[in-house]
Amino acid sequence: MQRYAIVERGDDASAKLSKKLRKDLDAFLTYDELHPELVISVGGDGTMLRSVHDYIDQLEDVAFVGIHTGTLGFFTDYTIDEANLLVYDIKDKALTVEKRSMIEIEFHEQKFYALNEMRLENSIHSQVIDVFINGEHLETFRGNGLCVSTPSGSTAYNKSIHGAIMAPGPELMQISEIAGINHNAYRSLGSSLILNDSQHVRLETQNYQNAVLCIDLDAFHLEENVTIDVSMSKKYARFASYRQVSFVDRLKKAFL
């Protein structure tokens, strides 16, 4: 590995640390924002998501590693006090790559990708969404919206709406309800549904006013009823693993 780049959150602590990292890493690596082999995310989980999307067309050639400059982040292996350790690991340790699944979202004949999740939601009034699995109608959902998440995203927004937590790695995605309405007039599944890579989801809106489609950090205000197709992507985000941080350890540090 010869080339690296840094994506930082933009606050003072992250900017200061990024400057120090460049000074240390430039002693044995070349800084290259256009075609890096390693991207160091300095900030939080949002910064890591931005890093992945910044290099979405180079995922096969780029590995990501994160330093958290605030409280612990789920995507990051190093804290702000461990920056010197990261420099040492990059210089002296072999790179092990961990692949993280992504989902592909298609609407208006455009393709987008998410490392965490996509959400179709409406905070103003009940959103009506027809849900199809492999072309077969599952339900007509009514509520604030639906979230389709990856294993990586299962600990993010999905967890806050009581979706299942999934270990990273498997090519799985899950649909979770956002404040679903369930009573005698309207019924939906009411629980998270986990799907494999042979299944795809189609969401068809019946009312688009005030509806928003969120894909990781991006948000799109719908201007008409749309059909949204979601499936497992052939793209992966490659995370550089220099130290072994178990999934259980990440859960304990983040939530317990």
Side-chain angles (χ1 to χ4, degrees):
M1 180 173 294
Q2 302 294 325
R3 304 181 306 277
Y4 79 99
I6 296 175
V7 177
E8 54 102 347
R9 183 165 53 189
D11 60 290
D12 290 342
S14 299
K16 183 178 179 180
L17 179 58
S18 297
K19 185 176 180 180
K20 180 183 185 303
L21 283 171
R22 283 204 60 174
K23 180 179 179 180
D24 294 340
L25 291 171
D26 283 350
F28 59 93
L29 293 178
T30 300
Y31 192 80
D32 185 348
E33 286 189 355
L34 295 179
H35 301 288
E37 297 168 276
L38 178 69
V39 172
I40 303 170
S41 169
V42 181
D45 285 344
T47 310
M48 180 61 80
L49 286 175
R50 181 158 59 87
S51 301
V52 171
H53 283 273
D54 282 350
Y55 293 95
I56 198 72
D57 295 324
Q58 302 180 50
L59 293 183
E60 293 181 356
D61 303 314
V62 177
F64 300 88
V65 66
I67 299 180
H68 207 290
T69 52
T71 55
L72 286 170
F74 211 83
F75 281 132
T76 55
D77 288 351
Y78 299 84
T79 66
I80 191 170
D81 297 324
E82 296 175 319
N84 290 336
L85 178 59
L86 173 59
V87 173
Y88 170 83
D89 287 348
I90 293 172
K91 182 177 181 181
D92 294 332
K93 287 188 177 181
L95 171 65
T96 301
V97 171
E98 173 190 337
K99 290 184 177 181
R100 290 185 177 245
S101 302
M102 303 181 71
I103 52 175
E104 179 177 299
I105 302 98
E106 185 171 356
F107 78 108
H108 285 330
E109 298 183 348
Q110 297 183 73
K111 289 185 179 180
F112 301 85
Y113 301 92
L115 176 60
N116 263 4
E117 79 276 320
M118 66 124 287
R119 309 189 308 273
L120 177 57
E121 59 184 332
N122 195 322
S123 60
I124 304 300
H125 57 75
S126 294
Q127 186 66 40
V128 181
I129 307 169
D130 281 314
V131 181
F132 299 82
I133 308 296
N134 286 2
E136 185 176 0
H137 187 264
L138 172 67
E139 65 183 15
T140 299
F141 169 85
R142 293 168 175 83
N144 278 32
L146 293 170
C147 173
V148 183
S149 63
T150 67
S152 295
S154 70
T155 55
Y157 187 91
N158 172 75
K159 182 178 182 297
S160 72
I161 54 175
H162 307 292
I165 291 178
M166 297 190 291
E171 294 183 342
L172 301 173
M173 59 182 174
Q174 68 174 301
I175 310 174
S176 298
E177 297 183 359
I178 306 171
I181 298 173
N182 281 288
H183 50 57
N184 288 338
Y186 303 129
R187 300 300 303 175
S188 58
L189 196 60
S191 62
S192 293
L193 175 63
I194 297 177
L195 303 171
N196 61 37
D197 60 351
S198 69
Q199 297 162 315
H200 65 267
V201 178
R202 170 164 287 185
L203 306 177
E204 294 185 355
T205 59
Q206 294 187 16
N207 55 329
Y208 65 88
Q209 188 175 14
N210 301 310
V212 178
L213 175 63
C214 300
I215 300 174
D216 280 349
L217 300 175
D218 295 321
F220 305 88
H221 292 272
L222 302 189
E223 298 180 354
E224 59 184 353
N225 289 332
V226 296
T227 295
I228 300 166
D229 290 295
V230 189
S231 59
M232 295 305 304
S233 174
K234 294 182 180 180
K235 288 181 179 286
Y236 290 88
R238 301 165 68 248
F239 278 66
S241 179
Y242 294 103
R243 61 198 307 196
Q244 297 302 315
V245 182
S246 71
F247 180 63
V248 171
D249 193 32
R250 291 184 192 277
L251 288 176
K252 290 168 65 175
K253 287 180 177 179
F255 303 119
L256 300 177

